[in-house]
Amino acid sequence: MRTLRLTSFTLTSALGHGLKPTLSALRAQRTGLMHKHWETVDLDTCIGEVAGVDDFAVRKDLQYFDCRNNRLAQMAMEADGFAEAVRAAITRHGKRRVAVFLGTSTSGILSTEIAYRHRDAQGRLPASHNYSHTHNSYSVANFVRHYFDLEGPAFVVSTACSSSAKVFGSAQRMIEAGLIDAAIVGGVDSLCLTTLYGFNSLQLVSPNACRPFDTNRDGISIGEAAAFALVEDGAGAQPGDIVMSGIGESSDAYHMSSPHPEGLGARLAMQAALDMAGLKQEDIDYINLHGTSTPSNDAAEDKGVFALFGKHTPCSSTKGHTGHTLGAAGGAEAVICALALQNDFAPGGVNTQDIDPALQCQYLLANLDKPMRHALSNSFGFGGSNCSLILSKVAA
Amino acid sequence: MSDLRIYLDGIGLCGPGMNSWQSSVAELAGAAPVILTQTVLPAAQALPPAERRRVGVPIKLSMAVGFEAVRHAGADAANLAVVFSSTGGDCDNCHAILETLASDDRQLSPTRFHNSVHNAPSGYWGIATGSRAPSTSLCALDATFGAALLEAATQALASGEPCLLLAYDTAYPDPLYALRPIPFPFGVAMLLRPQPSAASLACLDISLTEEALSICADPVLESLRSSVPAARSLPLLQLLARGENGRVVIDYLEHLDMAIKLTLLPRSAP
């Protein structure tokens, strides 16, 4: 396949604003999860909140897009020289030739959740509420398209927790078809009541900081994040550059909120990514698991990974660091894999104490320094939506 | 030269006064008057009874049009990649969740929550068809159809396999209806292939453009086209219904629309 070069990338999550604090948190095995009170939520849970979102202001001319999700998006884009790299790409290719494909699960729905509390006596929403530019799922891609004054293709992928992994596939296909030369991809999801109370209704939220693959794992911790990558044709990649070399997508065809118990859909996605990259299992140096920390998700993923890779490929979930950032998870974990490749280490998971003996994969509890060429990242969502990405470092 | 060339093998349609593509051809062709009566949604027969009871408008709508397009193309749904696209997903369900979260008792129903994901119709489609092929779910505000066409066409071309485009929109109840007035549920499905088959109805040459949009000459259809994002597909559907070669410009995004040149093919399959 045509690989994609990650010309620039950035991540803002509970670990910090940009790559530098993200890398140091991974190096130090520090979690960003905290047991704390957020908004009016009365649940006993830990969250991965990004510091400073409440006080952040979206650009003045784009005020009509103002909501927590777009604040987080702008905050993230302005780190690590990402916005400058996008502007340089627009100069190279033209504003019609740069697309925006972003993942989100709940977009700016928090704005409407709050607006519903302020309905008037006739049940009407406050006049100030801007549905289309905040709540609608497309809002964040629309915001980013306006932020850079772009005129290329754009949409949001919203396939729950695989959303921001699948956008890489859309970008790859459209570059391959010759429709575009570059795309801003990634995902943004922010804290809201719908997901906190929603996952709680399914009894999937842990009162503790989540501990993937632990014997005593008892659910997810919800986090928020914005991850962005600027991708272009990989033909121009230089030694040391990070490229997306394989993208595999599949469906479980099993259940709305439970994964296939044998991890069958997961396996299909991982195999498809390997096939596209032209790689074998033993070429993969590290697997960033979806690893949500619910008993059934981790068990199913373990079966799928073990069936394909056996017990020799180091793997971990970084959800113990960031929390489950839902529609942003695929993008966030792709960036974490890129950092791991650049810095030649496989990040160990955090919070996990006792690895569940029923799980067979080689789960890392400590960072493992090793030469890194290829990393695989798994993202699986409700509705049985699976996506596996393979990121590679171009050899010298 | 166009940007993308793709082949259309089957169509499904469900909207106000339009129960299927087959039964709406005369109205779309201008041979019969269009009357916008409330959209009739068949039950999602393909789902097991337990699931069938839990599903709302988007799943019934997407299954109705999706299966019609698959049948029309003589294709097999069991291994078919699908691109879903919708502006608001399940608007009734979203409203119910928002009401609960604004009340004193915020306990949500677990079914409501898992049905709230934008890709719920994709999940149910997988359960109904057993297909483990890739499936994505898009949103592009008013560009439900354009976004789906671009993604489905490039997906078919990249994979060399057929891809089902499935664009649908539903209506919010008040108070969101006041901010997003979509008057009727409307869905359209198209089975696209990268190569012509014996069942191909037409060849579509798609180009990104900034030309003036095609509108519907019939004021009733034009009101539908301009008020429901998925109905932005109507100028293309009218061309097909009239059995004419031609070219239409479909609404996509600000500064970017989609020209589609349609060339009819002699269909050799029934």
Side-chain angles (χ1 to χ4, degrees):
Chain A
M1 81 159 212
R2 189 183 295 255
T3 60
L4 296 177
R5 175 167 60 117
L6 276 65
T7 310
S8 178
F9 53 87
T10 186
L11 170 62
T12 290
S13 73
L15 298 182
H17 185 200
L19 296 178
K20 203 172 162 212
T22 304
L23 180 61
S24 56
L26 291 168
R27 286 280 198 205
Q29 292 201 274
R30 179 172 67 74
T31 180
L33 295 173
M34 277 199 281
H35 199 278
K36 67 174 287 191
H37 180 77
W38 180 79
E39 224 271 324
T40 55
V41 174
D42 55 4
L43 302 173
D44 175 26
T45 183
C46 288
I47 56 172
E49 184 185 12
V50 173
V53 184
D54 286 327
D55 303 323
F56 190 86
V58 301
R59 216 169 66 190
K60 250 202 173 89
D61 58 318
L62 300 174
Q63 268 305 311
Y64 53 104
F65 281 105
D66 185 37
C67 63
R68 185 177 187 85
N69 212 51
N70 292 333
R71 287 181 190 191
L72 180 53
Q74 184 180 327
M75 197 173 165
M77 287 191 296
E78 292 176 349
D80 296 313
F82 182 78
E84 291 75 12
V86 170
R87 291 193 184 99
I90 297 167
T91 306
R92 278 199 297 284
H93 304 302
K95 54 185 174 183
R96 174 76 76 81
R97 302 283 300 176
V98 179
V100 182
F101 305 129
L102 297 173
T104 188
S105 68
T106 50
S107 188
I109 199 169
L110 175 65
S111 304
T112 308
E113 290 169 356
I114 293 168
Y116 262 61
R117 294 181 208 153
H118 297 105
R119 285 169 291 176
D120 67 14
Q122 283 77 47
R124 291 172 304 201
L125 294 165
S128 60
H129 184 54
N130 188 329
Y131 163 82
S132 293
H133 294 96
T134 63
H135 171 167
N136 185 270
S137 296
Y138 178 58
S139 164
V140 69
N142 201 8
F143 174 66
V144 171
R145 194 172 185 257
H146 277 81
Y147 183 90
F148 291 111
D149 191 26
L150 285 167
E151 298 181 358
F155 53 66
V156 148
V157 171
S158 191
T159 54
C161 306
S162 64
S163 304
S164 57
K166 288 171 77 77
V167 291
F168 286 92
S170 300
Q172 193 266 340
R173 292 185 286 268
M174 294 218 199
I175 289 174
E176 179 115 56
L179 276 179
I180 55 167
D181 296 310
I184 300 167
V185 296
V188 187
D189 243 342
S190 44
L191 296 172
C192 63
L193 276 63
T194 301
T195 47
L196 281 160
Y197 285 97
F199 281 105
N200 187 62
S201 76
L202 290 162
Q203 298 177 302
L204 293 177
V205 178
S206 173
N208 309 299
C210 75
R211 41 195 159 168
F213 278 60
D214 196 289
T215 307
N216 298 311
R217 65 188 183 279
D218 55 1
I220 68 173
S221 302
I222 293 178
E224 60 186 349
F228 288 100
L230 171 67
V231 295
E232 297 174 80
D233 188 341
Q238 302 297 311
D241 278 354
I242 305 299
V243 296
M244 186 65 65
S245 54
I247 302 160
E249 299 173 65
S250 75
S251 306
D252 270 3
Y254 178 71
H255 190 266
M256 272 308 294
S257 54
S258 306
H260 188 285
E262 301 299 317
L264 188 54
R267 221 166 104 188
L268 290 172
M270 290 186 279
Q271 186 64 59
L274 286 168
D275 293 347
M276 193 182 265
L279 294 173
K280 295 191 186 62
Q281 285 86 326
E282 55 267 33
D283 295 324
I284 300 299
D285 297 300
Y286 164 68
I287 299 172
N288 187 291
L289 300 163
H290 189 53
T292 61
S293 184
T294 74
S296 65
N297 281 1
D298 288 2
E301 185 176 14
D302 178 73
K303 286 203 173 85
V305 171
F306 184 77
L308 208 52
F309 290 90
K311 52 164 73 249
H312 300 298
T313 308
C315 52
S316 69
S317 162
T318 46
K319 300 242 178 357
H321 299 76
T322 59
H324 191 351
T325 62
L326 309 175
E333 288 156 27
V335 170
I336 287 173
C337 285
L339 284 174
L341 291 167
Q342 281 183 332
N343 295 281
D344 288 309
F345 79 109
V350 298
N351 306 335
T352 303
Q353 304 283 321
D354 304 302
I355 296 172
D356 184 346
L359 305 179
Q360 296 173 277
C361 292
Q362 193 198 131
Y363 193 87
L364 294 176
L365 292 184
N367 291 338
L368 177 65
D369 289 317
K370 61 183 265 188
M372 296 271 286
R373 272 295 304 283
H374 306 288
L376 182 144
S377 174
N378 280 338
S379 298
F380 309 135
F382 271 11
S385 174
N386 309 306
C387 186
S388 297
L389 303 174
I390 296 176
L391 293 100
S392 303
K393 182 166 62 182
V394 179
Chain B
M1 205 193 90
S2 74
D3 293 326
L4 303 169
R5 170 168 286 186
I6 200 86
Y7 296 86
L8 172 63
D9 276 26
I11 310 171
L13 181 68
C14 184
M18 302 173 198
N19 294 337
S20 68
W21 163 251
Q22 299 293 356
S23 68
S24 309
V25 169
E27 285 90 338
L28 291 169
V34 181
I35 301 160
L36 300 184
T37 51
Q38 198 48 250
T39 306
V40 178
L41 295 164
Q45 292 297 343
L47 284 174
E51 260 89 16
R52 199 182 308 156
R53 281 193 300 274
R54 300 174 171 191
V55 301
V57 175
I59 284 125
K60 292 179 193 163
L61 183 58
S62 58
M63 288 208 174
V65 299
F67 284 118
E68 188 190 10
V70 168
R71 276 194 308 272
H72 191 203
D76 181 5
N79 291 301
L80 195 56
V82 193
V83 172
F84 290 81
S85 182
S86 175
T87 191
D90 193 334
C91 296
D92 292 321
N93 191 60
C94 179
H95 167 73
I97 287 175
L98 289 163
E99 285 228 292
T100 304
L101 291 175
S103 74
D104 293 335
D105 180 5
R106 292 177 173 178
Q107 289 299 315
L108 294 180
S109 131
T111 302
R112 277 218 184 281
F113 177 60
H114 76 222
N115 282 351
S116 77
V117 294
H118 195 69
N119 61 318
S122 159
Y124 284 105
W125 178 267
I127 293 167
T129 62
S131 173
R132 297 201 167 93
S135 174
T136 195
S137 300
L138 311 179
C139 175
L141 190 60
D142 288 336
T144 298
F145 180 71
L149 182 58
L150 213 51
E151 175 72 2
T154 50
Q155 180 141 174
L157 292 169
S159 66
E161 300 287 336
C163 184
L164 180 64
L165 172 166
L166 222 159
Y168 71 92
D169 289 311
T170 71
Y172 280 109
D174 270 326
L176 278 167
Y177 181 83
L179 303 183
R180 186 62 169 156
I182 291 176
F184 299 101
F186 181 97
V188 57
M190 294 185 172
L191 193 125
L192 304 176
R193 281 187 189 275
Q195 302 291 337
S197 79
S200 294
L201 301 161
C203 170
L204 307 181
D205 285 303
I206 304 165
S207 307
L208 296 174
T209 181
E210 226 180 324
E211 297 164 65
L213 295 180
S214 306
I215 60 166
C216 301
D218 181 309
V220 179
L221 284 177
E222 177 54 20
S223 75
L224 191 61
R225 188 198 70 82
S226 58
S227 61
V228 186
R232 302 288 203 274
S233 57
L234 281 170
L236 177 64
L237 295 174
Q238 285 199 285
L239 212 51
L240 281 157
R242 289 197 296 264
E244 286 174 6
N245 291 332
R247 187 171 179 277
V248 289
V249 179
I250 296 286
D251 190 14
Y252 179 37
L253 300 173
E254 238 176 294
H255 307 297
L256 194 67
D257 297 304
M258 220 173 265
I260 304 169
K261 181 172 154 251
L262 180 137
T263 311
L264 294 165
L265 297 172
R267 190 181 207 181
S268 52

